[in-house]
Amino acid sequence: MKWLRQLKVFCAALLLTGCFAPALLVSSQAQLMGELLRPLVGFNPLDVKLFENPLIKDRMVALMGEDNYRTATTLLYTATALQVQGPLYFVTSEHSPLPHLAEKSGFVWNSEHNQMAVLLVSGGKTEIFAEAVNSAAGAVVPSWPKELVDYTSPDKLKQKAIAGAISHLGLEGDQAALAEAALSGGSVENVLEQQLKDQVPDPIEEIKQKVEAGQEELLAAPKQRFNQMVQEAVPTDEDVVKQFTGKTSAELEQAKALKKQLDEAKARAAANVKAAQQQPVKDKATLQKEAQEWAKKQAAEKARQQVKPITQPVDDLLEELKEETGNKTSTEKKKTGG
């Protein structure tokens, strides 16, 4: 009985391992992809050889085959950087080195579902390669960044292809409209009919336009004369000012400016007079005394300036004698010891 119980435990372990192994594998693979791509956001995929990494290359080859992998990566290596948009890490080609095989390629990895998807656009048609992923809600549909959404819509791809063909043929105007109708499956007859209507005007509408133009022309002269009469009858502000003052507005403004300058000059003069009046007034005797003292000082200074050239040699000689006398005295003191 004991060995039977052990066998049951062993079988249960095998069943549990079989259930959880795929989930653990998917989780670790998503973690590795995230650790690989996150530091490379903003880098040129060609410089870092992004699509040569086994984590990406093996899944792409298994998803789309060796030939499609080479075509897609050749286009994807023209991209400038690995980008991120929400949970999507993606690369979009800038141009096509292989226009005969594909015109556009895009690579997307969804970090939420660990789903890889690649698209190839050739001849205006998009071929999508996406890994099959299931969730609680069912099969997961690939998500695309805004840079690649237009390439997953058949209608928008068709419009782009038509626009490219018209541009390549150099068609413009009516010819471009006819070509667009023919390529898009529209009615060429309706386009031609509308173009003819635009080129050949309706005679009734043309007569109506001429009548309206004639009426406008007939009414233009009376309206102009009426406006002129109104202008002559209603004087302007300038006319009213000149009538009552005899001067124009410019002359009045000039007079106002001149009056303002005179008023300012009067105010400054009044301020100077007031300041002079506030100073203390000296009596006549004090003024005479100050004048005499000032005259004496000026006379003494003038005399000193006149005598200085004469007395200067004598002063210099006296200064030399003082110096010699002082030197002799100090020498004698040294000799006598005191």
Side-chain angles (χ1 to χ4, degrees), residues 163-229:
I166 292 173
S167 176
H168 180 71
L169 295 172
L171 302 178
E172 296 179 356
D174 295 342
Q175 293 180 347
L178 289 171
E180 183 177 359
L183 294 174
S184 61
S187 175
V188 178
E189 292 78 6
N190 292 338
V191 175
L192 281 172
E193 183 179 354
Q194 185 61 43
Q195 290 179 358
L196 289 174
K197 285 182 179 180
D198 295 338
Q199 294 174 2
V200 180
D202 187 358
I204 298 176
E205 185 66 25
E206 186 177 1
I207 293 171
K208 183 180 178 182
Q209 291 177 0
K210 288 183 178 180
V211 170
E212 290 177 354
Q215 290 177 352
E216 187 68 25
E217 186 177 356
L218 289 173
L219 294 175
K223 282 183 180 179
Q224 185 177 1
R225 179 56 184 162
F226 174 76
N227 293 334
Q228 185 178 356
M229 290 172 64

Side-chain angles (χ1 to χ4, degrees), residues 86-318:
L88 305 179
Y89 292 79
F90 65 97
V91 177
T92 61
S93 62
E94 297 290 334
H95 59 274
S96 174
L98 307 170
H100 58 288
L101 294 179
E103 302 140 22
K104 187 76 176 179
S105 181
F107 165 87
V108 178
W109 178 70
N110 190 328
S111 60
E112 286 185 347
H113 304 291
N114 188 29
Q115 183 185 43
M116 183 181 294
V118 183
L119 64 80
L120 280 174
V121 181
S122 178
K125 295 181 180 180
T126 301
E127 188 175 4
I128 295 176
F129 305 89
E131 292 177 333
V133 176
N134 294 321
S135 65
V140 176
V141 179
S143 299
W144 303 97
K146 60 183 180 181
E147 288 81 358
L148 294 173
V149 168
D150 290 349
Y151 295 95
T152 61
S153 171
D155 294 336
K156 291 183 178 180
L157 282 172
K158 188 176 182 180
Q159 291 175 1
K160 283 189 176 183
I162 292 172
I166 292 173
S167 176
H168 180 71
L169 295 172
L171 302 178
E172 296 179 356
D174 295 342
Q175 293 180 347
L178 289 171
E180 183 177 359
L183 294 174
S184 61
S187 175
V188 178
E189 292 78 6
N190 292 338
V191 175
L192 281 172
E193 183 179 354
Q194 185 61 43
Q195 290 179 358
L196 289 174
K197 285 182 179 180
D198 295 338
Q199 294 174 2
V200 180
D202 187 358
I204 298 176
E205 185 66 25
E206 186 177 1
I207 293 171
K208 183 180 178 182
Q209 291 177 0
K210 288 183 178 180
V211 170
E212 290 177 354
Q215 290 177 352
E216 187 68 25
E217 186 177 356
L218 289 173
L219 294 175
K223 282 183 180 179
Q224 185 177 1
R225 179 56 184 162
F226 174 76
N227 293 334
Q228 185 178 356
M229 290 172 64
V230 170
Q231 292 176 359
E232 292 174 355
V234 180
T236 61
D237 295 341
E238 186 74 18
D239 294 336
V240 174
V241 170
K242 192 170 183 181
Q243 181 181 357
F244 285 93
T245 62
K247 295 181 179 180
T248 62
S249 298
E251 292 173 344
L252 289 175
E253 291 295 330
Q254 188 176 4
K256 287 180 182 178
L258 182 59
K259 184 178 181 301
K260 184 180 179 181
Q261 293 177 0
L262 291 174
D263 292 341
E264 292 175 353
K266 287 180 181 180
R268 288 195 296 270
N272 293 335
V273 170
K274 186 177 181 180
Q277 290 175 351
Q278 290 176 353
Q279 294 180 355
V281 180
K282 298 179 180 180
D283 57 3
K284 185 176 180 181
T286 303
L287 293 173
Q288 288 179 351
K289 186 178 179 180
E290 290 180 354
Q292 289 174 359
E293 290 178 356
W294 180 81
K296 285 179 181 180
K297 288 181 181 180
Q298 294 296 322
E301 180 64 22
K302 186 175 182 181
R304 189 178 68 78
Q305 293 294 334
Q306 292 177 351
V307 173
K308 186 175 181 180
I310 300 173
T311 61
Q312 187 67 39
V314 178
D315 293 339
D316 295 342
L317 181 59
L318 289 174

Side-chain angles (χ1 to χ4, degrees), residues 28-42:
S28 62
Q29 193 179 43
Q31 186 176 1
L32 289 174
M33 281 290 291
E35 292 177 355
L36 170 67
L37 295 178
R38 272 192 292 273
L40 298 180
V41 173

Side-chain angles (χ1 to χ4, degrees), residues 34-107:
E35 292 177 355
L36 170 67
L37 295 178
R38 272 192 292 273
L40 298 180
V41 173
F43 284 86
N44 188 306
L46 179 60
D47 295 340
V48 297
K49 298 188 182 305
L50 178 66
F51 300 106
E52 302 299 323
N53 190 291
L55 282 176
I56 298 176
K57 180 179 180 180
D58 293 346
R59 291 175 66 174
M60 288 182 69
V61 171
L63 178 64
M64 57 194 315
E66 185 70 30
D67 293 340
N68 288 329
Y69 163 78
R70 291 177 182 175
T71 303
T73 53
T74 301
L75 271 68
L76 291 172
Y77 276 139
T78 64
T80 55
L82 171 66
Q83 303 179 64
V84 62
Q85 193 175 108
L88 305 179
Y89 292 79
F90 65 97
V91 177
T92 61
S93 62
E94 297 290 334
H95 59 274
S96 174
L98 307 170
H100 58 288
L101 294 179
E103 302 140 22
K104 187 76 176 179
S105 181
F107 165 87

